[in-house]
Amino acid sequence: MSIATPGREEVAARQLDISMPGFPESLPADVMFEQGVIRTIGRGFEARGFRPLDSACVQRQEVLVAGGAQYLDGGIPEFAFTVQEPPESYTGANLALRYDLTVPVSRFIAEHSSKLSFPLHCYQINKVWRAEQMPTATHWREFYQCDVDVIGDGELSLLYDAEIANALVGAFQNIGVAGFTVRISNRKVLAALLDSHGVRVHRARSIVQILDKGNRQPVEETVSQLVASGIPEHVAADLGRLVESPTLSEARDLLKLRGADLTGVEELDTVLRAADDLGMPENHLILDFSITRGHDYYTGTVFETFATGREHWGAIGAGGRYEDLLKHVNGSSYPGVGMSVGLARLMGLLREDGVRQQRGLRQDAITVVRHEGGDAQNVLRSVRELRGAELSVQAVFDPVSEDKARSIAEEAEVGYLASIRGADQAVVRDMASGAEQQVPVDGVGAAVAQLRDS
């Protein structure tokens, strides 16, 4: 009896599609680079008194849309991914994956407020999920956000808005971004000018989409686009004048001329003065009235952060003040101010700047391999000795060739490689210089110490 053997085409047809488009996966070296950046950002926030916080990645759908928590420009019309509970633990809740960290943190604080001290200085670095249709190098369906917030109970000083900008600058200065600016505005300024002209809120979406280009195109083009969208010419001219205003004084004069409310301008004045008093580096905080986008829950100060000279990348950080995000959920007011950084875009900038290559080898790390003909017991003893000396040690117990050993060590980005050879011999290699020492097995630790001190 013959047994039919499936053809190559049939086998291929049976293979599962295991790709995950839009969901990034990284090799070990890239993960280590990313985690190093995350730790650096966290240390920068902690140096300014912020403490880590963790919220659930799965949230109630009604919370995720609290306070109209979508983008004013329509970027996120709804949460991206719903979550189905298993039948055996079904609670009846409508669940979804969070698309940002601000709304879940606000819910967390509303639930656990009795255990917290206010004002709460917190940061969170966690994953979020969005429905990106065409993932790119800086846009994914799943990615890390780095959020830093100050949240109060009932009230919160405007001075914290300056503290948030200062905290972000401190974190960025330590990770190697070649140059960046935090651009600041206040939503109340635009709202006051529109109100003085009788322009209703339902027109705001089309307006902010055009104003958002204000710092990247001539003001005449901005005015022309506003008029083409149906905005009266005199209103469009005032909006163009606002976007072009380089100082608070000019913006104040425009609002006074139109009889508009000055609250937003005065709040900006307070925040800018406070940032200067905190020691904000010169030219790192810039007034920019084209900054109008972001979540609808922002009520005053708004920020966007750009890499200098590479504004075409888009904002690498954004945020602002939110007063009543969950007030309609539990009746309590927890005003806050914060900023969020999307790690994918930031990592892209760092790679473009060559920071990944500048990282260097880990001088506290070594790979110990069993060379062909080497004794596995000697590998065990060497690993134990080196770990006892508080080195990070990668152990390879199966015999490998010299080329393979170097490849393993290079991929792990360790500073040193120890190859256990023969009955009682080892070769210790400095991966940076290529220098080697042949020593007895019990001399591997001393050889590494000598190379580290040289």
Side-chain angles (χ1 to χ4, degrees), residues 151-319:
I151 300 171
D153 185 358
E155 60 182 10
L156 189 71
S157 169
L158 279 171
L159 302 184
Y160 291 113
D161 297 31
E163 177 73 327
I164 287 295
N166 187 268
L168 190 72
V169 168
F172 271 34
Q173 284 179 325
N174 292 327
I175 61 175
V177 178
F180 63 93
T181 57
V182 178
R183 297 179 179 269
I184 184 173
S185 185
N186 190 301
R187 283 199 165 172
K188 295 176 183 177
V189 177
L190 174 62
L193 184 58
L194 291 174
D195 187 62
S196 73
H197 285 290
V199 177
R200 302 275 70 87
V201 174
H202 74 276
R203 300 301 305 276
R205 177 172 294 178
S206 61
I207 292 172
V208 300
Q209 287 178 323
I210 296 169
L211 294 186
D212 179 64
K213 307 172 186 175
N215 64 356
R216 301 191 300 276
Q217 67 182 18
V219 67
E220 295 81 9
E221 181 65 21
T222 297
V223 172
S224 175
Q225 291 173 359
L226 287 167
V227 172
S229 73
I231 302 299
E233 289 188 16
H234 66 286
V235 179
D238 271 3
L239 292 172
R241 182 175 168 184
L242 176 64
V243 168
E244 204 176 25
S245 297
T247 65
L248 283 178
S249 177
E250 291 190 25
R252 186 183 287 111
D253 289 345
L254 173 61
L255 294 185
K256 284 182 177 180
L257 183 64
R258 303 305 178 212
D261 184 78
L262 298 177
T263 301
V265 171
E266 301 310 328
E267 288 185 358
L268 273 173
D269 190 26
T270 298
V271 174
L272 290 169
R273 291 178 185 273
D276 186 60
D277 289 339
L278 283 170
M280 178 73 72
E282 188 177 1
N283 299 324
H284 274 64
L285 186 62
I286 296 176
L287 183 67
D288 185 348
F289 287 107
S290 73
I291 302 301
T292 54
R293 301 174 78 174
H295 287 295
D296 280 358
Y297 54 66
Y298 291 131
T299 55
T301 304
V302 283
F303 306 100
E304 287 192 12
T305 304
F306 296 87
T308 305
R310 288 170 293 178
E311 286 79 7
H312 61 280
W313 275 69
I316 54 177

Side-chain angles (χ1 to χ4, degrees), residues 19-202:
S19 63
M20 291 295 293
F23 295 90
E25 297 174 310
S26 302
L27 296 173
D30 291 322
V31 174
M32 291 179 70
F33 178 41
E34 184 176 67
Q35 290 298 320
V37 171
I38 288 173
R39 286 192 295 270
T40 300
I41 292 174
R43 286 195 296 267
F45 290 155
E46 289 176 12
R48 283 157 177 77
F50 292 85
R51 296 186 297 163
L53 182 148
D54 190 20
S55 63
C57 63
V58 177
Q59 297 284 324
R60 292 178 179 270
Q61 294 179 14
E62 57 268 30
V63 169
L64 291 176
V65 297
Q70 286 84 39
Y71 275 115
L72 188 60
D73 65 359
I76 302 180
E78 59 187 14
F79 40 81
F81 299 100
T82 58
V83 176
Q84 182 66 51
E85 291 183 295
E88 60 270 19
S89 60
Y90 183 67
T91 65
N94 295 316
L95 304 175
L97 292 178
R98 64 190 175 202
Y99 61 80
D100 83 344
L101 298 177
T102 303
V103 177
V105 165
S106 297
R107 183 213 55 78
F108 175 93
I109 289 168
E111 182 177 352
H112 301 285
S113 59
S114 62
K115 307 170 190 174
L116 300 169
S117 297
F118 295 93
L120 178 68
H121 295 65
C122 61
Y123 75 91
Q124 184 176 186
I125 304 176
N126 261 321
K127 286 192 173 183
V128 299
W129 290 263
R130 295 185 182 175
E132 294 289 350
Q133 297 303 312
M134 295 294 291
T136 68
T138 60
H139 286 80
W140 296 90
R141 293 182 175 183
E142 175 184 85
F143 60 95
Y144 278 104
Q145 272 194 340
C146 309
D147 276 25
V148 58
D149 295 87
V150 181
I151 300 171
D153 185 358
E155 60 182 10
L156 189 71
S157 169
L158 279 171
L159 302 184
Y160 291 113
D161 297 31
E163 177 73 327
I164 287 295
N166 187 268
L168 190 72
V169 168
F172 271 34
Q173 284 179 325
N174 292 327
I175 61 175
V177 178
F180 63 93
T181 57
V182 178
R183 297 179 179 269
I184 184 173
S185 185
N186 190 301
R187 283 199 165 172
K188 295 176 183 177
V189 177
L190 174 62
L193 184 58
L194 291 174
D195 187 62
S196 73
H197 285 290
V199 177
R200 302 275 70 87
V201 174
H202 74 276

Side-chain angles (χ1 to χ4, degrees), residues 371-375 378 420-426 441:
H371 195 268
E372 295 166 342
D375 188 339
N378 285 336
I420 306 303
R421 307 184 181 195
D424 191 35
Q425 292 295 312
V441 169

